[in-house]
Amino acid sequence: MSTQYNEQENASVYRNVRRSIFFTIRVMLLLASIFCAGNADAQKPDKNLDFCYWKYPDTVAARNGFKKAYPFYRLHNNDTLVDIGAASGGLEGALASFMTEKNVHFVLVDIDSNCLNETKLRNVQTYYSQVKGAPLNATFSMVHNTPDSLFLPLHSYGKVLIFNTLHEIPDQAKMARQISDIMYTGGELIVGEALSRPGHRIHGGCRQALLDEKEIQALFESNGFRLQETLMNPGELKKTVNPLMLARFVKL
């Protein structure tokens, strides 16, 4: 009887172990399916969502696109970044899809209401939430400016970006003064521009005249700023005859 009892006991133990293994496998498969479903959503954003900016298909592409620019922006928790010439806020949406900083607020400023409006901003937020696979940990607000005013409070901001926009502005000195007026002392202005080169002095898209490094430096240093540092060809862009420069200026 002892042998029979041992065999029954072993069989019972075997069944319990097998049930435990099967249960563990089922849990692992369930978790894997949830994980994969979440990743699938994150990798397949709705490309039909319309806004004025190119679309990064996933967070890997977004990180690569901002490989050097993102650290140069020097964002921190609870920062406010004003983007002048923001279009629909696509740059900020891309940043928000992978950045680690929390509670960043983006103030989007643009003269073109066809690009900067509630529908297209909502599309940006939806698209990059899908890219991320989760809600964006950032907030957005819109301001429609005019050539005469940014419609922003004076001496209120410590981080301003003007990217691929300066060369489109007819009165660049006036814009530099307006930017200086909204910033407080010690604040950082980041200027992103494709640079003029001999034989290639016109922007390939808008057909406006480009500036070179010395012209950009002189423009802002004569309007209340000091050049602190520059970064050439950030990100994974192909080399072009008009290299892209990021320049950091400090408000005096």
Side-chain angles (χ1 to χ4, degrees), residues 67-84:
K67 186 175 181 179
K68 295 180 181 177
Y70 170 51
F72 195 84
Y73 293 156
R74 297 204 298 210
L75 292 173
H76 299 94
N77 293 340
N78 305 307
D79 261 354
T80 294
L81 173 67
V82 178
D83 184 359
I84 298 170

Side-chain angles (χ1 to χ4, degrees), residues 38-218:
N39 277 357
D41 290 341
Q43 296 302 316
K44 295 181 180 178
D46 184 357
K47 296 180 180 180
N48 294 318
L49 290 167
D50 181 40
F51 54 85
C52 302
Y53 197 71
W54 59 83
K55 298 180 175 74
Y56 290 101
D58 51 55
T59 54
V60 173
R63 283 193 189 94
N64 285 338
F66 291 91
K67 186 175 181 179
K68 295 180 181 177
Y70 170 51
F72 195 84
Y73 293 156
R74 297 204 298 210
L75 292 173
H76 299 94
N77 293 340
N78 305 307
D79 261 354
T80 294
L81 173 67
V82 178
D83 184 359
I84 298 170
S88 304
L91 183 151
E92 286 73 22
L95 285 176
S97 72
F98 68 86
M99 68 184 190
T100 57
E101 291 74 19
K102 300 181 183 300
N103 302 318
V104 174
H105 181 64
F106 295 114
V107 180
L108 311 177
V109 182
D110 205 286
I111 200 169
D112 185 0
S113 60
N114 289 321
C115 280
L116 185 58
N117 56 59
E118 291 184 2
T119 297
K120 290 186 177 178
L121 175 55
R122 186 167 55 250
N123 287 346
V124 167
Q125 293 172 289
T126 300
Y127 180 87
Y128 281 107
S129 293
Q130 293 172 350
V131 166
K132 182 179 179 181
L136 302 180
N137 188 19
T139 55
F140 301 76
S141 60
M142 301 186 302
V143 176
H144 290 117
N145 70 306
T146 69
D148 295 321
S149 177
L150 292 173
F151 291 108
L152 292 170
L154 300 179
H155 318 303
S156 299
Y157 300 101
K159 196 173 291 290
V160 176
L161 170 69
I162 181 167
F163 185 85
N164 195 33
T165 299
L166 184 63
H167 64 274
E168 297 181 353
I169 298 173
D171 193 338
Q172 295 163 354
K174 185 175 183 178
M175 175 56 69
R177 291 192 296 271
Q178 289 181 10
I179 294 173
S180 178
D181 287 344
I182 67 169
M183 296 182 67
Y184 53 72
T185 300
E188 295 181 347
L189 167 66
I190 298 172
V191 180
E193 278 291 315
L195 298 175
S196 174
R197 289 292 182 262
H200 301 278
R201 302 189 183 278
I202 302 298
H203 191 279
C206 65
R207 310 305 299 169
Q208 300 294 320
L210 296 171
L211 298 88
D212 63 23
E213 298 96 319
K214 292 183 178 180
E215 289 172 318
I216 294 172
Q217 181 176 357

